[in-house]
């Protein structure tokens, strides 16, 4: 099916290319700074007929300073080019259909001699922007996330859901590829939730949600891509900002400094945060049966787990406009985060005969500890070349990411009345992750509405992991457990090539893109007795869009994606932090395959009101899911563990999901703005050996903003996520609600904010169930959610407008 879609798309593009050109006039040109010779983006080009004062047509220049205005009839025209703090340029000319294209060449704007010392531009932008390949969410007015982190921002993003444990799904799919400024980072490899907690919300310019990625993106991630675009300035002069927040659960701080003069620019940043210690209360009750069903075992666990988290990020960005057509950007960042947890669990194991006779009772106390630390260095080099021919571009990108992690964990169990000796173990698990990526992309415009894009990429990942396990001896000393002590190396090389074409037919009634990506994956892991075969991936994609007008459009997209099992999924090491609930990886996992179809509609209205609808159908095969089996006794490296559930990942059958997402933002006068996300879907898992499981899932979000005056804004928001059935049980529902205020002062250069999350609920109770043929288990968690915080921000700088700013803040896109 996917190849049929791809071939159809290519036929559409060839049909459009073969159509005869309509004889209409066209004006093209390029706008640059007369002194620096740099292109000026967002300059306003206005077209007037003859001596009329009403604008007949117009647009703004793109990131290269170029513009192209089509479908102009014969006649005399006056063209004006305007940009803030520049002298207006006026050109008088005429269009003759026989000539076809009127090329105004390079237009140089001269800076005004009487520029102001400080210029501010304030505009109200839409919360979301719908594009042909993605949805862009701006968190500028999300008061509930002020003083928070990226995880808090994601709670308000359409099509994204975040549960109480920080797990993220995109339209019900947890297989998401995360990027920062369009680039991968090894910081996401260890713990996505921890990594997101290190990114302050005030550093985020936008969140790009890409549910149907084109072939220019890696094929990984059946759910899609979430790209976090951080704030970046390209101001002439010096500017800076500082943000501080404190609260009952989270403390944040960040600092940015940017400078630019002529062709050179530099910026440095630092951000850090600390999640204060919180205690999660938990209890579980498991009932299990013997194979003959002649005895019943009950395991009851009740405990408390203190937890804290901290992290920081710092880095530098450098840019050099070598020539008006050659841009070089270098970036470097250092990321560090850690978390620490301890636990004390009371345990009671009882065994009964079928008639209710008590056979045994064992009471014990388990004390556990876990310390995790991750450090990552990311750097990149980007070179972009433009040419005289409009929209011809060459991009080269080199990225490198080095991560180093350390995990120290252990537990010790003591028994009441010393009926058994002490038991326990400890693990020391250092690891390294090194990734290098090389990409080369080229775009060549063929004709009006038709552009050919092609590129190659190589990505190399090397992981080294050492695991040392010691077992507690009867005399209280630790001895090495050789069966659980080893080192392994994991290497994965991915080579890719792609080609895609844009197309337009029926006089631009339909526009779109179609392409095919080929990836070769080579994986080597020195797990004993395991050989991971190489495999090829052919991933087509197709998107077609119809624009009713500039504010209304509808699109249809198909994409083929895969989910590669990572080294944690493959690693056969046993996690025995809880001897009654053990997990391990599966080195024989295959990639999960996803086919996704999407229908999207967007409409923008006046005063910032807009809606976005997305309907989708997704089918995953070789679906990667976790399965749990019960073992009365499980022997691991010579040690017997009793009353154990063992959880392992498997390729199990298929998963079909269909549903819809609706986002709306409505401005009611100048005071009130209401935003809402509603998402629902039906998910069906078909697993050999199990009954098919169907579950209706829904999620709702509501934000109400009230503008008290020009410097005071308030917000009330709520977020609800429904419970969900899974193959062996269910996941609980969760909800959040927030109250927030923000006051601007010092000529709107400073702000003071107050945020309250679940102010009337200290804990959120979470009840879940799991079961198999031989056991059933009920888990209850009391998770602390209440928090109060105060935040402060201040910014200063000579200028606050950006020459050459685009919607992605200078980030090349799409990136890998």
């Amino acid at each position: 099916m996917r190849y049929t879609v791809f071939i159809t798309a290519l036929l559409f593009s060839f049909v459009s290319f073969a159509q005869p050109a309509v004889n209409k006039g066209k004006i093209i040109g390029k706008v640059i700074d007369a002194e620096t010779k740099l292109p000026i983006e967002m300059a306003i080009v206005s077209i007037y007929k003859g001596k009329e004062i009403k604008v007949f047509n117009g647009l703004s220049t793109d990131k290269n300073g170029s513009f192209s205005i089509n479908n102009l009839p014969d006649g005399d025209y006056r063209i004006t080019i305007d940009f803030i703090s520049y002298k207006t340029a006026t050109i008088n000319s005429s269009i003759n259909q026989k000539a076809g294209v009127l090329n105004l060449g390079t237009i140089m704007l001269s800076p005004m001699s009487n520029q102001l010392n400080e210029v501010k531009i304030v505009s109200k932008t839409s919360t979301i922007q719908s594009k042909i390949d993605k949805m862009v969410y701006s968190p500028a007015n999300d008061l509930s996330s002020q003083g928070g982190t990226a995880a808090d921002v994601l709670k308000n993003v359409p099509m994204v859901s975040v549960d109480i444990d920080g797990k993220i799904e995109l339209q019900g799919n947890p297989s998401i590829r995360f990027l920062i400024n369009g680039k991968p980072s090894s910081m996401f490899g260890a713990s996505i939730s921890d990594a997101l907690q290190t990114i302050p919300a005030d550093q985020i310019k936008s969140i790009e949600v890409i549910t149907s990625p084109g072939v220019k993106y890696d094929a990984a991630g059946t759910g899609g891509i979430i790209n976090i675009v951080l704030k970046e300035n390209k101001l002439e002069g010096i500017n800076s900002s500082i943000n501080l927040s404190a609260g009952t659960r989270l403390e944040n701080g960040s600092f940015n400094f940017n400078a630019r003069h002529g062709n050179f620019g530099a910026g440095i940043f630092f951000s850090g945060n600390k999640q204060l210690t919180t205690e999660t209360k938990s209890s579980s009750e498991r009932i299990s049966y013997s194979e003959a069903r002649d005895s019943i075992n009950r395991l009851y666990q009740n405990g408390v787990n203190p937890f804290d988290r901290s992290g920081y990020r710092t880095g530098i960005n450098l840019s050099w406009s070598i020539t008006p057509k050659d841009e070089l950007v270098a970036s470097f960042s250092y990321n560090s985060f850690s978390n620490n947890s301890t636990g004390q669990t009371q345990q009671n194991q009882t065994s009964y005969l079928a008639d209710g006779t008590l056979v045994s009772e064992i009471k014990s106390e388990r004390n556990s500890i876990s310390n995790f630390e991750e450090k990552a260095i990311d750097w990149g080099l980007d070179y972009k070349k433009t040419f005289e021919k409009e929209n011809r571009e060459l991009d080269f990108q080199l990225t490198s990411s080095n991560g180093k992690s350390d995990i120290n964990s252990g537990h010790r169990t003591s028994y009441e009345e010393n009926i058994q000796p002490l038991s326990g173990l400890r693990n020391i698990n250092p690891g390294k992750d090194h990734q290098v990526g090389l990409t080369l992309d080229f775009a060549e415009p063929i004709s009006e509405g038709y552009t050919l894009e092609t590129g190659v990429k190589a990505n190399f990942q090397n992981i080294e992991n050492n695991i040392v396990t010691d077992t507690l001896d009867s005399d209280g000393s630790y001895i090495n457990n050789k069966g659980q002590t080893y080192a392994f190396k994991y290497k994965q090389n991915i080579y890719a090539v792609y080609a895609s074409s844009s197309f337009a037919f029926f006089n631009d009634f339909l526009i779109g893109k179609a392409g095919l990506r080929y990836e070769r994956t080579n994986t080597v892991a020195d797990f004993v007795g395991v050989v991971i075969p190489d495999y090829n991936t052919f991933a087509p994609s197709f998107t077609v869009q119809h624009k009713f007008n500039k504010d209304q459009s509808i699109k249809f997209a198909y994409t083929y994606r895969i989910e590669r099992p990572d080294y944690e999924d493959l690693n056969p090491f046993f996690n025995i932090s809880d001897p009654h609930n053990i997990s391990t990886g599966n080195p024989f996992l295959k990639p999960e395959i996803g086919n996704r179809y999407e229908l999207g509609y967007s409409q923008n209205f006046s005063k910032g009101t807009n809606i976005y609808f997305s309907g989708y159908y997704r089918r995953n095969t070789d679906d990667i899911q976790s399965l749990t089996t019960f073992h009365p006794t499980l022997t691991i490296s010579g040690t017997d563990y009793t009353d154990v559930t063992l959880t392992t990942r498997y390729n199990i059958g298929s998963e079909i999901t269909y549903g819809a997402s609706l986002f709306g933002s409505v401005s009611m006068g100048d005071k009130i703005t209401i935003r809402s996300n509603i998402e629902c879907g039906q998910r069906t898992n078909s697993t050999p050996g199990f009954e098919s499981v169907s579950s209706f899932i829904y999620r709702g979000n509501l934000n109400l903003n009230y503008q008290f005056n020009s410097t005071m804004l308030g917000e009330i928001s709520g977020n609800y996520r429904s419970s969900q059935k899974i193959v062996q049980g269910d996941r609980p529902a969760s909800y959040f609600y927030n109250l927030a205020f923000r006051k601007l002062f010092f000529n709107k250069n400073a702000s003071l904010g107050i945020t309250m999350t679940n102010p009337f609920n200290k804990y959120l109770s979470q009840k879940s169930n799991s079961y198999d043929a031989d056991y059933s288990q009920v888990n209850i968690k009391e998770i602390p959610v209440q928090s109060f915080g105060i935040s402060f921000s201040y910014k200063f700088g000579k200028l606050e407008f950006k020459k050459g700013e685009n919607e992605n803040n200078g980030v090349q896109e799409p990136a890998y």
Side-chain angles (χ1 to χ4, degrees), residues 502-624:
S502 60
F503 55 85
F505 48 93
F506 306 131
N507 195 25
D508 291 342
F509 181 81
L510 291 177
I511 61 173
K513 276 188 175 183
L516 178 66
R517 184 181 184 90
Y518 166 75
E519 293 184 349
R520 174 72 172 178
T521 304
N522 168 257
T523 305
V524 177
D526 56 0
F527 304 138
V528 178
V530 176
V531 177
I532 303 174
D534 299 349
Y535 53 91
N536 302 311
T537 301
F538 292 90
S541 76
F542 166 72
T543 302
V544 62
Q545 182 185 56
H546 169 65
K547 289 187 175 182
F548 300 96
N549 51 55
K550 67 175 183 177
D551 295 319
Q552 185 182 21
S553 67
I554 188 170
K555 72 174 182 180
F556 174 76
Y558 163 79
T559 185
Y560 178 92
R561 309 285 293 172
I562 68 171
E563 174 65 13
R564 297 182 181 90
D566 60 25
Y567 80 98
E568 290 184 347
D569 294 324
L570 300 171
N571 185 6
F573 172 73
F574 288 90
N575 182 345
I576 318 178
S577 55
D578 179 354
H580 294 291
N581 297 279
I582 299 174
S583 61
T584 185
N586 180 1
F588 300 102
L589 283 175
K590 298 181 294 183
E592 178 180 297
I593 306 299
N595 289 273
R596 189 179 188 282
Y597 304 83
E598 179 182 12
L599 180 67
Y601 172 82
S602 67
Q603 169 89 59
N604 294 325
F605 302 90
S606 61
K607 297 181 180 180
T609 298
N610 53 71
I611 61 171
Y612 179 80
F613 169 82
S614 172
Y616 63 93
Y617 173 88
R618 181 179 65 245
R619 183 174 188 269
N620 292 350
T621 55
D622 285 330
D623 195 39
I624 298 177

Side-chain angles (χ1 to χ4, degrees), residues 585-747:
N586 180 1
F588 300 102
L589 283 175
K590 298 181 294 183
E592 178 180 297
I593 306 299
N595 289 273
R596 189 179 188 282
Y597 304 83
E598 179 182 12
L599 180 67
Y601 172 82
S602 67
Q603 169 89 59
N604 294 325
F605 302 90
S606 61
K607 297 181 180 180
T609 298
N610 53 71
I611 61 171
Y612 179 80
F613 169 82
S614 172
Y616 63 93
Y617 173 88
R618 181 179 65 245
R619 183 174 188 269
N620 292 350
T621 55
D622 285 330
D623 195 39
I624 298 177
Q625 296 279 357
S626 295
L627 286 183
T628 301
T629 55
F630 175 76
H631 300 265
T633 302
L634 180 65
T635 303
I636 300 175
S637 303
T639 302
D640 292 335
Y641 298 93
T642 60
D643 203 356
V644 176
T645 55
L646 177 65
T647 302
T648 311
R649 304 269 276 173
Y650 295 96
N651 294 106
I652 50 174
S654 63
E655 179 181 278
I656 294 176
T657 306
Y658 58 89
S661 302
L662 177 64
F663 172 86
S665 178
V666 180
S667 296
M668 304 177 66
D670 297 328
K671 296 288 186 180
I672 300 175
T673 300
I674 300 175
R675 302 194 312 272
S676 179
N677 303 318
I678 300 174
E679 181 180 338
C680 60
Q682 183 77 19
R683 177 184 298 175
T684 301
N685 292 93
S686 300
T687 306
F690 295 85
E691 293 185 3
S692 294
V693 176
S694 293
S695 177
F696 181 73
I697 312 160
Y698 57 94
R699 172 232 175 183
N701 171 269
L702 181 66
N703 293 67
L704 189 151
N705 286 64
Y706 185 81
Q707 190 82 48
F708 294 94
N709 52 52
S710 61
T711 62
M712 182 72 175
L713 182 66
E715 179 182 87
I716 301 175
S717 65
N719 197 319
Y720 180 81
R721 186 176 185 269
S722 71
S723 61
Q724 174 188 337
K725 291 182 180 179
I726 55 177
V727 175
Q728 291 182 291
D730 60 52
R731 295 174 182 169
S734 62
Y735 65 89
F736 304 92
Y737 58 94
N738 301 275
L739 300 174
F741 301 91
R742 182 168 63 198
K743 171 70 175 178
L744 303 177
F745 51 95
F746 291 163
N747 197 26

Side-chain angles (χ1 to χ4, degrees), residues 127 131 165 339 365 401 434 446 480 499 504 712 714 733 754 800:
T127 303
K131 303 187 178 303
D165 296 317
N339 62 54
E365 180 180 282
S401 183
H434 182 208
I446 304 300
N480 183 250
M712 182 72 175
I754 297 175
E800 290 189 333

